[in-house]
Amino acid sequence: MITAKNLNEEEFFYGHKACAGCGGSLAVRIALKVLGEKAVAVLPAGCMSAVGFNYPQLCFSNNAIISTFAGTASMMTGVLAGLRARGITDAQVVGFAGDGGTADIGIQALSGAIDRNDDVLYICYDNEAYMNTGIQKSSLTPFGARTTTTPAGNNIRGNIRPKKNVFEIIAAHDIPYAATATVGYLQDYINKVEKASKIRGTKFIHVIAPCPTGWGVKTDETVDVAKEIVDTGLWYLAEYENGEFTLNHKPESFSSVENYLKRQARFRHLTDDDIQAITAGRDSKWEHILKFWNVKK
Amino acid sequence: MSKKFLSGDEAFAYGIRLARPDVISAYPITPQTVVVEKLSDFVEDGSLKSNFIHVESEHSALSCAMGVSAAGARAFTATSSQGLLYMAECLVYASGGRFPIVMMNANRSTALPWNIYGDQRDSLALLDSGWIQSYAQDGQEALDMALMSYYIAEHKKVQTPFMVNLDGFVLTHTYEVVDVPEQAQADEFLPSFETENKFDFESPKNLAFSAGPETNTFFKVKEHLGLLNASAVISEAEERFAKIFGRKYSGLTENYKTEDADYIILTLGSVSGLIRQAVDELRDEGLKAGLVRIRYMRPFPVSEISAAVKNAKALAVLEKDVSFGAEGTVYTNVNSALKKNALEIPSKNFIGGLGGKDISLREIKDIFLKLKDVSEGQKLSDVNFLGVDVKGE
Ligand SMILES: Cc1ncc(C[n+]2csc(CCOP(=O)(O)OP(=O)(O)O)c2C)c(N)n1
Ligand code: SF4
């Protein structure tokens, strides 16, 4: 088992230009350490490709390629097929796509790859907006969040739609393995990446990766808010395997939703009613989870 | 070598089988479907050892092909019309990334109005996407181009994706007798896939990167040079092809009775057969007609066209497309070639065959006769649409 103590010391994503405290780059960096030098990374347009591939400063020390925004999964399919044609069977093809690249423009290609059960690992680093183009709403932006296209004023009060349930949409394909994670609980994320890399067929990991720039938190708070989102119950650590959902971690009691929201500039405009609505949404989700999912002790 | 009775799509599929692509990824669209169905049959019966990937869109078909190429293997895809337009983003990506993918495009009208028949607006709209573009005239050329296109695209001086165009239905679905070469001959002709532009586990690579204002031009000039280099490589490929298969091709253009021609039509693709007939019939009547078939739109045959037409009295460009608000795209390109070579020959544009409308022998003969009138001082508008009478407001 890979832990923080024996994690690869080599850097595979090194010298990039991400903002200080970027959760996405942490997710990419850790996953590559788990997967090692044989991983071939495919990254669509988005922050992680923008900060990592500026010629001549190319920041991946393993093989890596930028795909079109919509084409992460289809390019992964091709890379896998091409490597197989060359007789290379021990390289893990891994994708790192943002929430927009995954849940919006790239969902068709992702669905296609899962449908073919291509042996690839797709990691969605979710910073809950289109960050690279300047913090616009995606379908994974949570209810209430202020973005540059869902401004918070007197008429519009941030994003009015709930976060798309991408984990369960992916699971509905009956994918061999899907999981949720957060960079706040790194060991859990590491375990899932390691486990996924050993499963044949398509694997999907949805990892919450806060963006200090877009969320309006301090650069040293990334890991802390990424923990807090789980502790509040607004995100959950789960897996889908063999047709079943399993909750990996059940907080004894939830920490304050209000505190979580109010520390982030994107939620600061929310009213008590909004916060109550968000809390109620959480509660009904958890009711469902506890009723229908396996719950790990 | 064996003789087979094949449609253009089938002939192309036989050519692709001879080229042994490692991976085929494609999405169906009429009139391209037959080529991928045939290739699926070849994979099924074991005569082609390829991985056939069922992708969920044309965008994914080419995206997948780029992944294959980046991994160091040979890729094939095919499309048409709306499918080609849908993958437009990936077209410029593949050429910028220098992935030598081969794609067959079945030339078809683009919507709206919806229409599944052949014209060339789809490929000509993407002329600037950085791909080599060739236009086949018959089933034999289609098969031979399928094989040759890989040689040219993958040549280290070229490293550029290649789009072979077949006129929808007229060529894709018309049956004719075609020579199918032996696999051993094809293997002698086409080396196995080799590229430096691929992942490497000894010394890993970051592909398809960003290049800002300081470095962008460098890469774009390299890409441009790759296409220009293709001219010489096309000749080399054809010589090699003639040696092994005994069939000769003539490079970027094919000229028919142009040496002493007064009136020449320049065109693309399968309509050339009919023009050749018109040339013969008119010559019997004493009119010195000729044909330049443009085999490649990119690289564009600037000097070849100029050399072929330099003594003519008037020229017509007959094409199945229009660049709305301007004129036919081929016409623009031909005029530019003439200008560069200081040739002051009157040239007129004839646009026909849109949405699959037949171009008749009579219409072609009329074009030649109009050229004669033009050379004798009669006025004619620059752009003329065949077979319609729509007046401007
Ligand atoms: C076809 C296309 N449309 C739009 C864009 C512009 N674009 C580049 S990155 C991006 C946002 C990416 O957002 P996300 O996938 O959430 O990743 P993040 O930037 O947050 O890391 C957009 C809209 C593009 N590159 N390609
Ligand atoms: S904007 Fe956000 S996601 Fe993008 S690099 Fe900066 S911190 Fe990371």
Side-chain angles (χ1 to χ4, degrees), chain B residues 312-331:
Chain B
K313 292 183 180 147
L315 306 173
V317 173
L318 172 59
E319 61 187 300
K320 300 181 189 173
D321 97 299
V322 52
S323 171
F324 298 100
E327 57 195 14
T329 299
V330 185
Y331 184 58

Side-chain angles (χ1 to χ4, degrees), chain B residues 108-148:
Chain B
R108 166 183 148 181
S109 182
T110 51
L112 286 172
W114 280 102
N115 176 300
I116 60 163
Y117 301 104
D119 67 38
Q120 293 158 342
R121 286 184 294 130
D122 54 357
S123 55
L124 289 171
L126 287 159
L127 192 57
D128 295 333
S129 61
W131 285 52
I132 297 169
Q133 274 201 11
S134 76
Y135 291 79
Q137 130 182 282
D138 54 27
Q140 187 66 61
E141 189 178 9
L143 185 150
D144 295 347
M145 285 307 309
L147 189 50
M148 255 188 285

Side-chain angles (χ1 to χ4, degrees), chain A residues 38 40 53 55 58-68 71 74-75 78-79 81-83 85-86 108-109 112 116, chain B residues 22-23 53-57 59-60 63-64 67-68 71-72 86 89 93 199-201 204-210 219:
Chain A
K38 268 268 170 149
V40 178
F53 284 84
Y55 180 84
L58 303 171
C59 302
F60 286 84
S61 54
N62 48 6
N63 288 302
I65 185 167
I66 308 186
S67 72
T68 58
S74 46
M75 187 175 269
V79 169
L83 292 176
R86 283 173 66 196
Q108 174 177 297
R116 290 184 298 270
Chain B
D22 295 298
V23 181
I53 299 180
H54 304 274
V55 284
E56 63 292 330
S57 77
H59 193 284
S60 285
S63 175
C64 175
V68 171
Y86 191 40
E89 181 193 21
Y93 212 87
F199 298 132
D200 178 348
F201 290 95
K205 283 195 186 146
N206 290 191
L207 301 178
F209 42 74
S210 310
F219 291 105

Side-chain angles (χ1 to χ4, degrees), chain A residues 66-290:
Chain A
I66 308 186
S67 72
T68 58
F69 197 19
T72 319
S74 46
M75 187 175 269
M76 289 164 79
T77 294
V79 169
L80 179 75
L83 292 176
R84 292 270 161 91
R86 283 173 66 196
I88 299 165
T89 52
D90 60 344
Q92 173 72 65
V93 179
V94 59
F96 294 104
D99 44 291
T102 299
D104 297 333
I105 197 168
I107 197 164
Q108 174 177 297
L110 173 57
S111 178
I114 304 169
D115 183 47
R116 290 184 298 270
N117 200 22
D118 292 329
D119 188 13
V120 296
L121 168 56
Y122 190 110
I123 299 179
C124 167
Y125 64 91
D126 183 4
N127 50 31
E128 302 196 324
Y130 292 98
M131 293 311 179
N132 186 46
T133 36
I135 325 173
Q136 297 88 14
K137 174 200 145 47
S138 81
S139 62
L140 296 190
T141 301
F143 170 82
R146 177 217 311 263
T147 70
T148 53
T149 50
T150 52
N154 290 331
N155 298 311
I156 308 175
R157 296 214 328 287
N159 175 35
I160 57 168
R161 293 289 305 151
K163 192 176 172 80
K164 192 192 269 186
N165 192 344
V166 117
F167 171 56
E168 287 173 60
I169 292 169
I170 298 303
H173 289 70
D174 212 7
I175 189 171
Y177 182 76
T180 63
T182 167
V183 296
Y185 285 96
L186 267 184
Q187 188 58 50
D188 174 76
Y189 176 54
I190 289 170
N191 293 347
K192 287 170 177 170
V193 174
E194 192 187 8
K195 179 170 174 182
S197 73
K198 295 189 171 128
I199 293 171
R200 300 274 93 161
T202 317
K203 288 82 61 176
F204 176 81
I205 298 176
H206 184 165
V207 56
I208 295 289
C211 161
T213 313
W215 291 22
V217 295
K218 294 202 193 80
T219 55
D220 61 0
E221 289 181 328
T222 305
V223 170
D224 199 41
V225 279
K227 265 201 176 90
E228 203 177 350
I229 190 173
V230 171
D231 299 342
T232 57
L234 292 174
W235 187 243
Y236 41 83
L237 304 179
E239 288 173 300
Y240 173 86
E241 231 183 329
N242 306 320
E244 293 193 343
F245 289 96
T246 302
L247 183 74
N248 304 118
H249 169 85
K250 184 169 173 292
E252 296 277 295
S253 60
F254 294 133
S255 62
S256 158
V257 168
E258 181 168 4
N259 287 353
Y260 170 78
L261 296 172
K262 283 289 161 77
R263 74 191 287 192
Q264 301 176 42
R266 61 178 177 155
F267 292 124
R268 219 156 273 157
H269 60 281
L270 294 185
T271 62
D272 289 346
D273 284 352
D274 293 331
I275 293 168
Q276 259 173 28
I278 292 170
T279 311
R282 174 202 67 187
D283 292 343
S284 71
K285 178 76 204 175
W286 275 85
E287 217 174 278
H288 176 91
I289 290 176
L290 295 175

